[in-house]
Every structure is written in structure tokens, then in C-alpha cells.
């Protein structure tokens, strides 16, 4: 699995205070290796909440998370001499992940977002522990976190536990050179002293929705780029099929005022401006209307855009949240709560997987139409140079169809699949981590699907141009950039995988959007 977007430019510093953080800051830390500094306000709030926890720890009455066990074991009161061991034990026992390593950017987002909540002053963690979290990130040390272990409630327990284990100087982590080594060695080389956890701190480092939230934030950024790219490829396909751009007229979309639909229609219309190919839908055989995959492209992509907008609203609310249990309140109370439940994030992760699968499905249908000589209105079968001798893009569409099929399976929601745990204390969980993991695969597949449509549509337009029809200036700019990126044009059959890989890389990097925007202006 790899990310859609290129690494973000490194920001000089991200300042972390008590009031949460931003989408841009998360991406800067996760993908751009931005440094983190705690503000004086955060340090003051950390110290104040720690005083409250220390005072409660000194009392004889048991307080959950401070002087008791956890989960189904919360009824046991823990004596003073065993509390440090309790905090170490919860980290060690909960670091029970299995399977492949999770991507570096996901782990960095996970750690940064946990630090965000710690810095809010609602967790009771000491300032020194928060500073160590920042130091580990700034040193480029990335804990080894595994694919499986989180049920999304109480938050992303196993992934966060592997991160906390690194803070203790235990377990394994990846160094700034990309080599996995014992975490203690990496901390020592960076001059970082391992933390010795005190009351509540082990629990506070584990109890959050940070992994699923980090993946949601990066997914939103990637999907925004892919949806713009998909609008461009839809326009290229419409043009190559000699369709009509009249269905994109703004007055038709104003009367069904979904914002995303209007934005997608406007993107397509701007790409097609000045085309000599559109409007020929009556030339070879009467076509009163274009097929749904062409005519309804803005409606489908627009619905996905609106889903992304809702998902961003949820992400921004979560970024402003302090997710822990128990929490330290401003009046000095330490209260248990259920804010660690991942349902709000899990739902939108599943929504996005559904929307992305449908976008991939409609893009594949346009590709198939471009390759079918009975429906492409004059294009050669499979866009082949010499159909029969050459197979053209026949199997590229097979690959695209396989990707769409997988996306449909991945669209099955994870958030409805609760499995009880912790002796029925945690009897309803969100599965938000699983929703996030499958969404990352879905986004990878969507990028490949858009790349195949781009490959087919640009080849089809070049074949049309060979017959004396002139494409839109934006389309010509896209074709020029695609060819410069190493994606070859029409001709006899050749080894196709390298072309498809180059097309995929071009779409992922934002190259398609960058190619047309000098002509169209900034697209939504």
C-alpha cells in the first residue's frame, strides 16, 4: 500500500497548543517531517492537570485510570508501590499488534494526534512526557506499528501502545535512516531519555482515535486531488466520444443545487472549452443523449465531493477534541466518559470508501465505452493500431475492472461489524481502524483506475486528431504532459505495464491537475 499524494513540503515548525491542531499541520508532520514545538500555554496546562492527578493519586479513594486497573479489571484498587508497574504493564500488554508494518506517515500522524490531545491539558500527563513525544517525532524515530490490533474502541489501543512502548525505550522502531532497530538504541543515539510512566500516563497514551483520524485526514487530501483528476478524465472521455458538453451548462446544475455536482460540472466545462470534438454526437448515428457514464459524471463525482466535505467537517471537529478516558476537567474533576468511541470517524471512513468505489466504477464504464468499436463512434477496436494483430488497451481495461471489483468489496462497511471484547466491558466497538485501512487500499485503487481512463482517453483524442478534429486546449496540454511523463501514445502493441505505472505516478503526483490548470484556471 502506498499513498496517493507526494510528500508534503517540510514546514519549519508546527506549534502545538491546547486548542487542537489543523489538517495542514497533521499532513505537514506526517508527510513533510515538520518539527513540533509545545507552546508555553500547553506546558502550563499540562502541569496544571498533572497537579490534579497527583492530588487524586495521594487520596485513599480509588479513581479509575489513576489508582485502579483498566477495562474489565477496573474494580481493583492498585497500591502506590504497584502503580508505576501498572502503567508499564498496560503499555506492554496492549502492544499486541500483528501483521505487516503500518506506513510511516500513518504512524507519525498517529503519534502527533495523540500528542495533540495530551497537550490539551485534559489527560493529566506530565510536560516531560509530552516533550519526549515531540522529541521522538522530531528525531525521525518511527515506532513499528502493525496492521491488526485496533477495534476502534477504546480508540486505537494496540497501535498507540506500540508508540508508547518506544517512549519507554522498548520494542522496535525505524530510525531516520529507515532501518528498524531496538527503540532504546535509537533513543540513546538521539539523546532522548526514555520515560518512566506515572499514574494515568500509560492509559492516557493509548486511549484515542488518533490512528483512524490521521488516516481520514490524509484520505481527504488524497481524494480531493483524485476527484479533480477524475473530472478531467471524464471530460477527456466525453470529448473522445464526441459527446455533448451542453449537459454541463451551469443553469442545469443550479436547479439541483448540490455544491459538489456544480463544482464537477464546472471543472469539466472548463476543460472542454474550445473543443472541436464535442457536439458531434449526431454525426455518425443519431444519439439523442450520451450514456449515463458520460452524461451523469458530475452527479456521481459531485455526490462524492459532498461526502468528502462532510468527512472534513467530522475530521475538523475531532481535531478540536480531547479524546481520553478519564479526562481532567477544568474544575478539577477527573471523569470517565465514552469519547474514545470511534463511531463518528468510522462512519465517514466507510462513506468515503463507498463514494470512491462508485467513482471508480463510473470511470471504468467510460473506459470500456472508449474501447468498444460498437459504442465509441468511430474509434478503432480497443484503440489498437491494427485490431486483431494488436490488442491495444483490451487488458488495461481488465486490470481496471479487477480494481473496481476489489473496491466494491472494500465498500462493505467496517463500522457495522462490532465484535465484543474485554470480557463484555467493551461490548460495542467501532472498527474505525479497519475502515481506515481499507479506505487507503481503495484510494490506491482509485488512482490506478483514473490513470487507466486518462491513458485511454488521451490515446483516443490523439486518434481523433489524426482525422482532422481539434481537441480543447486543456486536453492538448494534458496530452503533452502525459507524454512527457513517459506515457506513450498510439501505436503498435508494446509492454503495457510500464506505461500504466507511469500514468499512475502522474495522476498520484497531481500531474494531471497541474497540466490543465494553466489553461483552465484553478479547478475545484
Amino acid at each position: 500500500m502506498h499513498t496517493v499524494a507526494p510528500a508534503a513540503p517540510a514546514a519549519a515548525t508546527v506549534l502545538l497548543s491546547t486548542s487542537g491542531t489543523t489538517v495542514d499541520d497533521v499532513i505537514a508532520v506526517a508527510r513533510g517531517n515538520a518539527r513540533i514545538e509545545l507552546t508555553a500555554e500547553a506546558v502550563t496546562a499540562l502541569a496544571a492537570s498533572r497537579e490534579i492527578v497527583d492530588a487524586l493519586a495521594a487520596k485513599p479513594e480509588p479513581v479509575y485510570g489513576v489508582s485502579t486497573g483498566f477495562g474489565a479489571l477496573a474494580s481493583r484498587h492498585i497500591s502506590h508501590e504497584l502503580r508505576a508497574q501498572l502503567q508499564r504493564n498496560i503499555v506492554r500488554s496492549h502492544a499486541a499488534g500483528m501483521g505487516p508494518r503500518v506506513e510511516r506517515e500513518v504512524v507519525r500522524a498517529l503519534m502527533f494526534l495523540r500528542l495533540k490531545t495530551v497537550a490539551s491539558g485534559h489527560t493529566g500527563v506530565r510536560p516531560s512526557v509530552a516533550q519526549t513525544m515531540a522529541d521522538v517525532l522530531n528525531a525521525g524515530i518511527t515506532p513499528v506499528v502493525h496492521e491488526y490490533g485496533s477495534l476502534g474502541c477504546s480508540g486505537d489501543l494496540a497501535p498507540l501502545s506500540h508508540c508508547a512502548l518506544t517512549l519507554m525505550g522498548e520494542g522496535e522502531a525505524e530510525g531516520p535512516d529507515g532501518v528498524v532497530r531496538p527503540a532504546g538504541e535509537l533513543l540513546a543515539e538521539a539523546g532522548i531519555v526514555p520515560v518512566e510512566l506515572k499514574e494515568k500516563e500509560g492509559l492516557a497514551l493509548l486511549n484515542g482515535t488518533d490512528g483512524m483520524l490521521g488516516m481520514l485526514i490524509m484520505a481527504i487530501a488524497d481524494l480531493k486531488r483524485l476527484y479533480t483528476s477524475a473530472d478531467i478524465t471524464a471530460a477527456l472521455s466525453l470529448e473522445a466520444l464526441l459527446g455533448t458538453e451542453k449537459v454541463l451548462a451551469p443553469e442545469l446544475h443550479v436547479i439541483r443545487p448540490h455544491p459538489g455536482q456544480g463544482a464537477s460540472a464546472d471543472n469539466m466545462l472548463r476543460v472542454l472549452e474550445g473543443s472541436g470534438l464535442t457536439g458531434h454526437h449526431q454525426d455518425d448515428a443519431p444519439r439523442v443523449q450520451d450514456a449515463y457514464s458520460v452524461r451523469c459524471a458530475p452527479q456521481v463525482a459531485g455526490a462524492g465531493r459532498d461526502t468528502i466535505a462532510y468527512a472534513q467537517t467530522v475530521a475538523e471537529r475531532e481535531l478540536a477534541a480531547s479524546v481520553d478516558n478519564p479526562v481532567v476537567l477544568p474544575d478539577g474533576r477527573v471523569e470517565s466518559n465514552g469519547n474514545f468511541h470511534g463511531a463518528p470517524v468510522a462512519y465517514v471512513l466507510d462513506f468515503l470508501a463507498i463514494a470512491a468505489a462508485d467513482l471508480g466504477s463510473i470511470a471504468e464504464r467510460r473506459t470500456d465505452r472508449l474501447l468498444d468499436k460498437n459504442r465509441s463512434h468511430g474509434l478503432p477496436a480497443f484503440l489498437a493500431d491494427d485490431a486483431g494483430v494488436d490488442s491495444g488497451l483490451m487488458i488495461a481495461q481488465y486490470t481496471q475492472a479487477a480494481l473496481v471489483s476489489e473496491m466494491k468489496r472494500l465498500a462493505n462497511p467496517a463500522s457495522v461489524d462490532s465484535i465484543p471484547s474485554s470480557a463484555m466491558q467493551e461490548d460495542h466497538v467501532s472498527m474505525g481502524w479497519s475502515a481506515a485501512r481499507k479506505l487507503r487500499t481503495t484510494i490506491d485503487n482509485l488512482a490506478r483506475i483514473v490513470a487507466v481512463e486518462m491513458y485511454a482517453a488521451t490515446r483516443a483524442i490523439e486518434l481523433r486528431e489524426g482525422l482532422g478534429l481539434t481537441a480543447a486546449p486543456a486536453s492538448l496540454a494534458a496530452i503533452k504532459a502525459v507524454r512527457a511523463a513517459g506515457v506513450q501514445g498510439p501505436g503498435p502493441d508494446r509492454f503495457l505495464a510500464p506505461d500504466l505505472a507511469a500514468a499512475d505516478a502522474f495522476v498520484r503526483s497531481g500531474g494531471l491537475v497541474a497540466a490543465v490548470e494553466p489553461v483552465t484556471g484553478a479547478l475545484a
Side-chain angles (χ1 to χ4, degrees):
M1 184 186 296
H2 59 288
T3 61
V4 169
T13 303
V14 167
L15 298 177
L16 201 51
S17 191
T18 59
S19 56
T21 188
T22 68
V23 166
D24 289 343
D25 283 348
V26 174
I27 292 175
V29 171
R31 290 179 166 168
N33 301 315
R35 291 185 60 79
I36 304 153
E37 286 186 10
L38 298 171
T39 65
E41 179 188 16
V43 173
T44 299
L46 283 159
S49 69
R50 186 65 210 179
E51 287 181 5
I52 294 170
V53 170
D54 285 341
L56 289 171
K59 292 182 177 182
E61 298 85 6
V63 177
Y64 177 68
V66 176
S67 52
T68 71
F70 310 114
L73 304 176
S75 59
R76 178 177 172 182
H77 183 250
I78 307 299
S79 61
H80 284 277
E81 62 271 17
L82 293 177
R83 289 178 189 171
Q85 180 181 340
L86 170 70
Q87 300 302 318
R88 288 194 301 271
N89 285 353
I90 190 174
V91 172
R92 289 169 176 166
S93 66
H94 285 42
M98 295 181 74
R101 283 181 58 198
V102 170
E103 303 82 14
R104 182 177 184 272
E105 66 175 15
V106 172
V107 180
R108 286 185 62 81
L110 170 77
M111 291 183 69
F112 174 63
L113 288 167
R114 181 75 321 221
L115 177 56
K116 177 268 299 182
T117 284
V118 166
S120 70
H122 290 296
T123 67
V125 169
R126 289 169 293 157
S128 60
V129 176
Q131 185 59 56
T132 301
M133 296 172 75
D135 291 343
V136 168
L137 282 164
N138 291 340
I141 298 170
T142 307
V144 171
V145 172
H146 298 280
E147 180 83 14
Y148 303 106
S150 173
L151 300 182
C153 188
S154 303
D156 293 316
L157 286 174
L160 284 163
S161 298
H162 282 275
C163 295
L165 200 66
T166 293
L167 299 178
M168 293 164 49
E170 300 181 19
E172 290 188 321
E174 179 186 294
D177 58 358
V179 177
V180 174
R181 295 165 53 198
E185 292 181 12
L186 292 169
L187 295 187
E189 289 178 8
I192 299 171
V193 177
V195 299
E196 295 183 12
L197 299 174
K198 299 183 68 174
E199 291 94 341
K200 193 183 180 304
E201 288 181 332
L203 186 60
L205 294 178
L206 314 186
N207 228 336
T209 57
D210 309 291
M212 64 183 91
L213 176 59
M215 286 185 276
L216 173 62
I217 288 167
M218 289 185 284
I220 289 169
D222 295 341
L223 284 169
K224 284 181 176 179
R225 179 179 295 103
L226 285 177
Y227 267 74
T228 304
S229 299
D231 288 342
I232 296 168
T233 60
L236 295 173
S237 291
L238 183 153
E239 190 173 28
L241 291 166
L242 306 180
T244 177
E245 80 283 10
K246 290 181 180 180
V247 296
L248 305 173
E251 57 268 27
L252 295 176
H253 298 278
V254 166
I255 62 175
R256 195 188 191 195
H258 294 288
Q261 176 180 324
S264 284
D266 182 64
N267 281 350
M268 290 180 66
L269 199 57
R270 285 201 272 160
V271 171
L272 293 169
E273 185 175 353
S275 174
L277 294 172
T278 58
H280 291 276
H281 58 291
Q282 297 283 3
D283 289 356
D284 59 333
R287 262 187 294 161
V288 177
Q289 299 172 323
D290 290 317
Y292 282 10
S293 62
V294 177
R295 187 172 15 132
C296 302
Q299 284 77 8
V300 173
R305 285 175 171 274
D306 291 341
T307 303
I308 293 169
Y310 172 61
Q312 180 148 347
T313 298
V314 172
E316 288 170 351
R317 290 171 183 161
E318 198 78 355
L319 283 173
S322 296
V323 178
D324 192 18
N325 179 48
V327 291
V328 181
L329 296 173
D331 61 7
R333 287 180 295 146
V334 176
E335 296 285 358
S336 292
N337 66 88
N339 284 342
F340 49 74
H341 199 288
V345 182
Y347 291 167
V348 293
L349 288 162
D350 280 336
F351 294 167
L352 291 174
I354 291 168
D358 202 35
L359 186 66
S361 178
I362 197 170
E364 182 275 329
R365 287 293 80 206
R366 289 190 295 264
T367 304
D368 181 66
R369 187 164 289 271
L370 288 166
L371 304 188
D372 184 351
K373 69 182 181 65
N374 296 313
R375 293 180 292 140
S376 67
H377 310 289
L379 290 168
F382 303 107
L383 305 181
D385 188 61
D386 183 2
V389 175
D390 295 309
S391 295
L393 304 190
M394 180 191 294
I395 307 305
Q397 184 268 331
Y398 283 33
T399 299
Q400 198 184 36
L403 292 163
V404 170
S405 180
E406 182 177 44
M407 289 176 77
K408 291 176 180 178
R409 295 193 298 273
L410 293 171
N412 186 56
S415 56
V416 299
D417 192 27
S418 174
I419 297 178
S421 57
S422 192
M424 292 300 287
Q425 176 70 10
E426 298 170 10
D427 59 349
H428 186 276
V429 296
S430 78
M431 304 306 290
W433 174 274
S434 298
R437 297 306 295 165
K438 71 185 182 64
L439 178 59
R440 283 178 70 84
T441 301
T442 291
I443 290 171
D444 272 345
N445 287 352
L446 180 60
R448 297 178 181 116
I449 289 165
V450 172
V452 173
E453 183 183 14
M454 178 193 73
Y455 188 27
T458 53
R459 178 185 280 213
I461 289 172
E462 286 184 299
L463 291 170
R464 294 285 192 201
E465 287 225 309
L467 300 175
L469 297 172
T470 303
S475 302
L476 296 174
I479 292 168
K480 181 179 179 180
V482 169
R483 300 293 169 253
V487 183
Q488 298 184 54
D493 281 356
R494 55 185 171 269
F495 179 24
L496 209 53
D499 270 11
L500 296 179
D504 180 29
F506 183 72
V507 167
R508 281 175 199 277
S509 69
L512 182 59
V513 179
V516 304
E517 284 190 329
V519 180
T520 63
L523 298 175

